[in-house]
Amino acid sequence: MSATHACAADSATEGSSPVLTRATAVAPGGDVQYLDMSWQPTRHWTSLATLNTYPTAVRVSVPALDLEVEVTAPASGREIRTLTVGRAFWESPATVRGTMNGAPVSGTAVLQTRPDNTIGDIEHYMRRSHDIARTGAAAVYPDHPADTEAISLLAGTHDGTQLDDTAHARLHQALVAPVLHLLDNPGRSWRPYISATVLGLLGTDPEPYRALTAATELMHTSALIVDDIQDGSLTRRGRPSVHEVFGTAETITSGTLGYYTFDPLFQRVPQADAPTMLRIYQLYLRALRAGHAGQALDLAGHHTAFDEAVETGDPRPLLEQIRTTHRLKTGRLVRCTAEITAILAGADESQLKAISRYFEDVGIAYQISDDVIDLYGQVSPDEYHQGITVRSPAEDLATGTVTYPVAHATGLLDKTDRRRLRAALHARTDAGAIEASDLLMHSGALDVCLTEARTLVDHAWQTLDPLLPPTLHKVMVRALGWYAAQRVSEYDPHAPIRPTSSLSHTAPH
């Protein structure tokens, strides 16, 4: 700071609003004062290893000294990871520039931040990975059409292909803007977190691999964009679906292109040897094929098997069909992220097999709990009880979809109620959704679904657990499995479900 004073903040914040705290000011003669101080972060960096967010530039004001300075540290990479002060803290040299008593001052400083390392909400913790993924995605999905380099990379014209003067602006509107519409409205964003935590599991620093989070998030975003067209969904995450804003034909093109961004993003991480790189690309393409196969089965529906289950009371063939769909559509894509990352981290074959299986089962468990949480409008328990919804409750039931709870209910209800359930689904109305949801609630199907999801993850963990050293990442991976299977456990299983608006506009699966 200045040559005659030193100031130290007693606290810091990860937010952008000013925080009033205390400064210690030491005069040249040794006199000490404790003064009010305003500390306002102006730039942040989030660690991929810990998901801690640190202020890397701050504006400091000490009114009693008429001191106004900017403290600027390196933009990234100064995290110190240790268990002695929690998970980690930030410490780095910094430059100081500003004014004191109206005169210019400059100097050097040490910027140290110890954030709250307590993880109180696993969902909100993992969601921090979205900011990292969004920053990485800017390499191909820039905010502004003036970033012609990123647009050329997205369009495959970065080899010097001749374009007209307006092409980049038009490509930004046609290809970038539709994807950003959904990408900038994040969901739970637990998938990009997988890349970071698998690297950490195997003792590899995830920081050089930040682009993998973007590739994972874009694969999922692209799938959602296309799914919404096929399902006829008007909203996604509480906002109009991409095709409702940009048009169906345009959205098909932009959404599909997102699958191909794996290549330019993957080129931004440390490269393995040629055979390993080939293996990784083959895994990615295989996962995309599996995901599309799962979507095809989902669109075809399971109505024949459902009708048979209604008549026989035997849900097993129907459950097997839905499990196959969940495995292909969700499980394999989640597995792909973990498997590719584990290969890059040097996993041995036993670790690779166990990691791949665990995350595939986490994906399936998440889809099972997703089928349950659909009854509540895709929100948290607190939000549901406050009347907040992202989607209308029981939307899948209103469109006649045979979900996992529906399948289990055919083995729990008597024949009369099974036929009532079938008639309610065939109606594809809000009234039918209400009747179907009441039958599911009272059948016990929701508890059976969640028990199965937990058991699936627990069994996979038993194989993986002994193959990994004890680390924070191991704890978080276990927590991720619990989250995937139990994220609806706080709902009242007997609370009535009531769709909040007409869903007759949505197309059946």
Side-chain angles (χ1 to χ4, degrees):
M1 296 186 175
S2 74
T4 56
H5 290 81
C7 296
D10 294 330
S11 63
T13 180
E14 294 182 5
S16 58
S17 59
V19 173
L20 293 178
T21 182
R22 300 287 289 175
T24 302
V26 183
D31 293 336
V32 178
Q33 291 179 283
Y34 301 99
L35 305 171
D36 286 340
M37 170 184 178
S38 172
W39 164 284
Q40 184 178 32
T42 58
R43 186 182 67 192
H44 294 85
W45 176 76
T46 299
S47 164
L48 188 55
T50 64
L51 295 188
N52 282 346
T53 297
Y54 304 96
T56 59
V58 296
R59 183 177 297 113
V60 177
S61 175
V62 184
L65 300 177
D66 193 20
L67 179 69
E68 300 279 347
V69 294
E70 298 282 345
V71 181
T72 306
S76 63
R78 297 292 180 143
E79 181 180 56
I80 299 173
R81 299 163 203 162
T82 171
L83 296 179
T84 60
V85 290
R87 291 180 292 130
F89 65 96
W90 172 284
E91 184 175 281
S92 69
T95 60
V96 181
R97 296 186 184 278
T99 62
M100 183 173 179
N101 296 321
V105 294
S106 63
T108 59
V110 173
L111 182 62
Q112 185 181 87
T113 305
R114 184 170 68 87
D116 182 358
N117 284 286
T118 301
I119 301 171
D121 187 321
I122 183 68
E123 184 172 283
H124 289 164
Y125 171 75
M126 291 184 300
R127 191 175 293 171
R128 299 177 192 175
S129 65
H130 176 269
D131 292 339
I132 297 173
R134 177 64 183 89
T135 299
V140 284
Y141 287 99
D143 289 324
H144 305 292
D147 190 346
T148 59
E149 181 179 351
I151 296 171
S152 294
L153 196 60
L154 175 66
T157 61
H158 56 292
D159 60 352
T161 300
Q162 187 67 36
L163 301 177
D164 66 77
D165 293 340
T166 66
H168 290 100
R170 291 185 290 117
L171 287 172
H172 189 276
Q173 177 61 27
L175 298 178
V176 177
V179 173
L180 292 186
H181 177 78
L182 184 56
L183 190 64
D184 288 340
N185 183 34
R188 291 172 174 83
S189 294
W190 59 275
R191 290 168 178 82
Y193 175 66
I194 293 173
S195 298
T197 199
V198 169
L199 288 163
L201 279 179
L202 299 168
T204 298
D205 184 2
E207 290 301 336
Y209 297 88
R210 294 170 81 90
L212 281 181
T213 65
T216 301
E217 188 78 329
L218 285 170
M219 178 170 62
H220 180 58
T221 299
S222 298
L224 294 181
I225 289 172
V226 177
D227 282 4
D228 284 342
I229 295 173
Q230 295 171 325
D231 294 346
S233 298
L234 300 185
T235 62
R236 168 69 67 176
R237 298 171 182 166
R239 295 176 59 184
S241 299
V242 178
H243 64 277
E244 287 294 307
V245 177
F246 293 91
T248 299
E250 295 83 353
T251 300
I252 290 173
T253 300
S254 59
T256 303
L257 178 61
Y259 293 128
Y260 306 123
T261 58
F262 177 81
D263 176 53
L265 289 170
F266 196 69
Q267 295 300 318
R268 304 173 78 85
V269 305
Q271 302 293 287
D273 58 81
T276 301
M277 297 297 290
L278 176 61
R279 181 184 183 185
I280 286 171
Y281 275 86
Q282 288 173 333
L283 285 172
Y284 179 75
L285 293 172
R286 187 176 72 188
L288 282 185
R289 295 197 301 274
H292 281 73
Q295 177 69 351
L297 293 177
D298 193 33
L299 291 171
H302 312 285
H303 294 287
T304 299
F306 175 53
D307 289 341
E308 293 175 356
V310 167
E311 294 306 316
T312 65
D314 181 3
R316 289 174 296 179
L318 175 58
L319 285 167
E320 283 299 318
Q321 282 195 12
I322 301 177
R323 286 191 198 109
T324 296
T325 300
H326 286 353
R327 184 173 301 278
L328 293 174
K329 185 176 178 181
T330 304
R332 295 295 296 187
L333 293 178
V334 174
R335 174 188 178 128
C336 171
T337 298
E339 193 169 6
I340 286 174
T341 307
I343 290 172
L344 288 172
D348 61 39
E349 287 305 315
S350 60
Q351 289 174 324
L352 181 61
K353 182 178 180 181
I355 287 171
S356 299
R357 180 200 166 189
Y358 177 76
F359 280 97
E360 180 172 316
D361 287 351
V362 166
I364 296 169
Y366 187 90
Q367 190 59 59
I368 292 173
S369 64
D370 201 65
D371 282 357
V372 174
I373 204 173
D374 173 77
L375 273 69
Y376 299 91
Q378 300 289 345
V379 292
S380 70
D382 287 342
E383 290 169 334
Y384 174 71
H385 291 306
Q386 293 171 29
I388 301 170
T389 59
V390 175
R391 295 168 54 186
S392 182
E395 185 170 308
D396 284 344
L397 301 182
T399 60
T401 302
V402 180
T403 64
Y404 215 70
V406 168
H408 268 301
T410 62
L412 299 169
L413 297 170
D414 61 32
K415 192 166 189 176
T416 298
D417 282 342
R418 294 199 301 269
R419 288 179 170 176
R420 286 178 57 206
L421 178 61
R422 178 172 59 187
L425 289 180
H426 285 177
R428 296 190 175 94
T429 62
D430 287 352
I434 292 171
E435 182 173 9
S437 67
D438 287 343
L439 288 167
L440 295 183
M441 288 287 181
H442 293 98
S443 71
L446 304 189
D447 288 336
V448 173
C449 285
L450 297 180
T451 298
E452 181 176 332
R454 287 192 295 269
T455 301
L456 185 69
V457 172
D458 289 346
H459 284 173
W461 180 254
Q462 290 173 8
T463 302
L464 178 58
D465 183 14
L467 301 177
L468 301 173
T471 62
L472 174 64
H473 289 283
K474 184 176 180 179
V475 174
M476 298 309 300
V477 164
R478 186 65 179 110
L480 174 59
W482 283 326
Y483 161 74
Q486 301 182 40
R487 61 200 177 102
V488 292
S489 60
E490 296 179 46
Y491 288 117
D492 179 357
H494 305 296
I497 303 298
R498 295 293 180 264
T500 55
S501 62
S502 174
L503 296 169
S504 58
H505 56 262
T506 13
H509 287 187

